[in-house]
Amino acid sequence: MRNCCLAHCRRKFFEAVPKARQKKLKLLDINSEQELAEPPQGTAEDSFRLPAEKGVAFCNRLFYMERLYKELPQEERKQKRQETEPAIWNEFWTWLETLEPAGGSKLEKAVNYAFNHKETLMNYLLDGRCEISNNAAERRAKTYVTGRKNFLFHDTADGATASAIVLSLIETAKANNLNIYHYLYTLLLYMPDYKNEPAGIKQLLPWSDFIKERCTGIIDIEKVRPEERGNLNI
């Protein structure tokens, strides 16, 4: 199921806001440390906002709701979403249909982007595991982007693939609060014997109890030598 990112949609509206007014806007995010007040309702009728600012406001309202539900189990998250968020989306689409932006303007690009991705922007409502934006994934990619400034380029496709795999493992380990070095060490320790066994791979995923027990906090790897590793519990 394809899901489009609401943060990208919001960015189009934000770019259509005059520079002088952009500084006054706050962009809500699901995982922001700073908590912001609930955005007001009735965005479409707000006479103090420009159309582009209203587009940002609609997105902020949805991000605010998602922040409330982010820790819920997936089925409960889906239920809460479907109870509260479709009304905001309906108001948003109804309001968009009333706009007549100037041809070639940034606002027109924002409106067209939203309409062109209408279904996929709302697909997250169908599954509690899906996210409303890919901001978290993009932040994870910054590690690679920073490194790329040093190594400049890959000279082979295989090298680029290897880097993508290793960076994905590292960022997933970070997301699960693991000792990254020890997680990679553990994978190299066990993978040669279990790479073709699905149950073994499951035990080596960064959220498994096996990995959490062995790769959290400060670890003395001298105590985990290949000859003393034991077997996976499968």
Side-chain angles (χ1 to χ4, degrees):
M1 180 170 62
R2 184 181 180 189
N3 290 273
C4 275
C5 174
L6 184 63
H8 283 78
C9 180
R10 180 175 63 182
R11 189 177 304 153
K12 300 290 185 184
F13 284 101
F14 181 80
E15 290 172 351
V17 176
K19 295 292 184 182
R21 298 179 68 115
Q22 284 182 357
K23 299 177 181 179
K24 300 178 181 180
L25 295 180
K26 293 183 178 180
L27 304 181
L28 297 186
D29 189 79
I30 302 169
N31 298 305
S32 297
E33 293 183 3
Q34 180 185 11
E35 289 193 22
L36 299 176
E38 179 179 1
Q41 306 296 309
T43 305
E45 290 77 29
D46 190 338
S47 59
F48 295 99
R49 288 192 174 109
L50 298 175
E53 292 173 318
K54 292 182 181 182
V56 172
F58 272 115
C59 296
N60 278 347
R61 287 171 61 187
L62 290 162
F63 272 108
Y64 178 83
M65 302 307 297
E66 283 296 295
R67 186 185 180 114
L68 298 179
Y69 309 146
K70 68 176 183 177
E71 301 296 340
L72 296 178
Q74 64 184 52
E75 286 304 319
E76 187 177 354
R77 189 184 191 195
K78 176 182 175 181
Q79 180 182 348
K80 289 290 187 182
R81 283 171 166 173
Q82 294 185 344
E83 289 174 357
T84 59
E85 296 182 28
I88 301 174
W89 279 110
N90 290 337
E91 184 186 350
F92 175 66
W93 298 122
T94 300
W95 166 74
L96 273 191
E97 290 174 352
T98 68
L99 298 183
E100 296 180 356
S105 66
K106 291 182 178 179
L107 180 59
E108 183 190 48
K109 292 179 181 179
V111 172
N112 289 341
Y113 182 92
F115 276 129
N116 289 340
H117 298 86
K118 182 175 180 178
E119 180 180 350
T120 50
L121 280 168
M122 299 175 65
N123 271 347
Y124 76 98
L125 294 170
L126 304 177
D127 193 321
R129 295 171 298 178
C130 296
E131 299 291 342
I132 198 171
S133 83
N134 68 351
N135 274 346
E138 288 196 355
R139 281 194 293 270
R140 298 297 179 189
K142 284 187 177 180
T143 301
Y144 172 79
V145 174
T146 301
R148 189 178 60 195
K149 292 180 180 179
N150 296 320
F151 52 69
L152 297 182
F153 53 82
H154 297 287
D155 58 4
T156 67
D158 286 343
T161 299
S163 290
I165 292 171
V166 172
L167 266 297
S168 294
L169 289 171
I170 289 172
E171 290 302 324
T172 308
K174 286 167 61 177
N176 285 272
N177 300 312
L178 300 180
N179 180 311
I180 298 169
Y181 176 81
H182 196 64
Y183 179 55
L184 295 177
Y185 181 89
T186 302
L187 290 182
L188 294 173
L189 199 62
Y190 288 98
M191 279 294 289
D193 291 339
Y194 292 94
K195 62 183 179 181
N196 295 318
E197 296 190 33
I201 298 299
K202 187 175 181 180
Q203 286 287 77
L204 294 172
L205 293 174
W207 47 82
S208 75
D209 292 337
F210 177 84
I211 290 297
K212 287 181 179 179
E213 192 176 309
R214 289 163 176 77
C215 303
T216 303
I218 299 175
I219 310 294
D220 183 3
I221 64 169
E222 294 298 324
K223 296 181 181 179
V224 191
R225 310 303 294 175
E227 61 273 12
E228 301 168 353
R229 66 180 181 176
N231 296 317
L232 292 176
N233 299 320
I234 60 173

